[in-house]
């Protein structure tokens, strides 16, 4: 059973470009969470999605950021017109149920570097 | 009130020693307190977790101590090994949150010297 798969592992973008980060949850998991980790900081919650629904986006910046989890395919975190401050590690986690904390599994992350 | 404060930021321990990492919180609604271990280039992995109905939980060399009145909890790593060298994050969440919405501490970089 493969774990949470994130790609790409590393992504380099120039200021103003778009970044697309993909996350495939563990098999049987239909709940996906995105977190951002800035250098020397803890992880910060961004958004919680179920298939075709955004459940909680309270941690998502209001502009330039969007997320989706379509019926088929991976969850996508999209950052438009990237700025240097977007440089961070972005982690995706998945769980089979929303209330089972012990079943939350993280991917290895995407390191976004904005030049 | 939604913060979790973690200390120390970094910790160096000799092999065989005890590593102690502390966390404090303000929100009395928090009722799930996990610790995550993260190796370089990897995502966090759940190490051990506790709920406020107990004051201590032990799994192998790892123990969580929980002080509800002080709103503090700590991770103790007994007989620390070089393989324990990693970044450790405490986290917390209230039961009304969705299961995966955790509030993390700032992290502690642990280095165990042989």
């Amino acid at each position: 059973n493969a774990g949470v798969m994130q790609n790409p592992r590393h992504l380099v973008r120039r200021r103003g470009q778009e970044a697309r980060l993909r996350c495939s949850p563990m098999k049987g998991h239909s709940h996906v969470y995105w977190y951002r980790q800035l250098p020397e900081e803890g992880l910060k919650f961004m958004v919680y999605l179920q298939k075709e629904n955004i459940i909680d986006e309270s941690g998502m910046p209001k502009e330039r950021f969007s997320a989706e989890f379509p019926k088929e395919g991976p969850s996508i975190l999209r950052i438009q017109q990237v700025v240097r401050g977007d440089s961070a590690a972005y982690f995706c986690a998945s769980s089979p149920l929303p209330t089972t904390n012990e079943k939350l599994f993280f991917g290895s992350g995407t390191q976004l570097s904005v030049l | 009130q939604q913060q979790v404060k973690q200390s120390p930021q970094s910790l160096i321990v000799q092999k065989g020693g005890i590593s102690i990492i502390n966390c404090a919180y303000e929100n009395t609604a928090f009722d799930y307190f996990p610790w995550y271990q993260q190796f370089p280039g990897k995502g966090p992995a759940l190490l051990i977790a506790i709920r406020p109905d107990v004051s201590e939980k032990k799994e192998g060399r790892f123990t969580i101590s929980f002080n509800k009145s002080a709103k503090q909890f700590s991770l103790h790593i007994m007989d620390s090994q070089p393989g324990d060298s990693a970044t450790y994050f405490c986290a917390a969440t209230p039961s009304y949150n969705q299961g995966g919405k955790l509030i993390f501490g700032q992290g502690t970089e642990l280095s165990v010297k042989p």
Side-chain angles (χ1 to χ4, degrees):
Chain A
N1 186 10
V4 178
M5 303 300 292
Q6 289 189 248
N7 63 82
R9 289 297 311 274
H10 302 276
L11 181 61
V12 179
R13 286 287 178 266
R14 296 191 180 278
R15 282 180 296 170
Q17 291 184 320
E18 178 180 287
R20 282 184 179 242
L21 288 62
R22 290 178 291 276
C23 168
S24 296
M26 286 181 70
K27 186 177 180 180
H29 289 195
S30 57
H31 303 264
V32 166
Y33 308 81
W34 285 93
Y35 283 80
R36 177 165 63 175
Q37 185 176 29
L38 294 169
E40 298 185 11
E41 290 189 18
L43 288 84
K44 305 289 186 189
F45 168 81
M46 299 181 73
V47 61
Y48 162 40
L49 310 104
Q50 293 179 27
K51 286 282 188 182
E52 299 184 281
N53 286 303
I54 297 175
I55 307 302
D56 182 343
E57 55 182 349
S58 58
M60 193 95 97
K62 298 290 184 230
E63 297 180 353
R64 302 187 298 107
F65 285 73
S66 62
E68 63 177 9
F69 189 14
K71 186 177 181 180
E72 301 291 337
S75 175
I76 305 288
L77 179 67
R78 181 185 179 201
I79 310 172
Q80 294 178 290
Q81 300 175 335
V82 296
V83 301
R84 289 212 172 118
D86 298 332
S87 295
Y90 291 83
F91 290 95
C92 165
S94 73
S95 68
L97 295 170
T99 57
T100 310
N101 308 97
E102 292 83 358
K103 298 296 184 184
L104 184 69
F105 296 93
F106 282 84
S108 294
T110 293
Q111 181 65 52
L112 172 65
S113 298
V114 180
L115 304 178
Chain B
Q1 198 180 24
Q2 285 292 88
Q3 284 187 328
V4 176
K5 295 185 179 180
Q6 184 173 346
S7 63
Q9 188 173 356
S10 62
L11 181 61
I12 299 174
V13 174
Q14 291 296 319
K15 179 182 175 182
I18 302 174
S19 304
I20 302 175
I21 305 170
N22 301 298
C23 285
Y25 64 98
E26 290 293 327
N27 189 341
T28 54
F30 288 165
D31 62 359
Y32 174 68
F33 304 90
W35 284 88
Y36 281 82
Q37 181 187 54
Q38 184 180 29
F39 292 105
K42 300 293 186 182
L46 179 64
L47 190 62
I48 186 172
I50 197 168
R51 294 190 184 273
D53 52 340
V54 296
S55 60
E56 186 175 281
K57 183 175 182 180
K58 184 176 180 180
E59 291 184 3
R61 296 185 293 109
F62 300 91
T63 300
I64 298 179
S65 297
F66 183 77
N67 187 329
K68 188 173 181 178
S69 61
K71 290 183 282 186
Q72 295 176 348
F73 58 110
S74 59
L75 176 69
H76 295 234
I77 305 175
M78 311 300 289
D79 187 27
S80 299
Q81 299 296 312
D84 297 330
S85 297
T87 300
Y88 292 81
F89 293 96
C90 62
T93 190
S95 57
Y96 58 76
N97 262 356
Q98 301 297 337
K101 185 178 179 182
L102 298 170
I103 298 157
F104 282 86
Q106 298 89 334
T108 296
E109 188 173 352
L110 171 65
S111 178
V112 181
K113 299 299 185 185

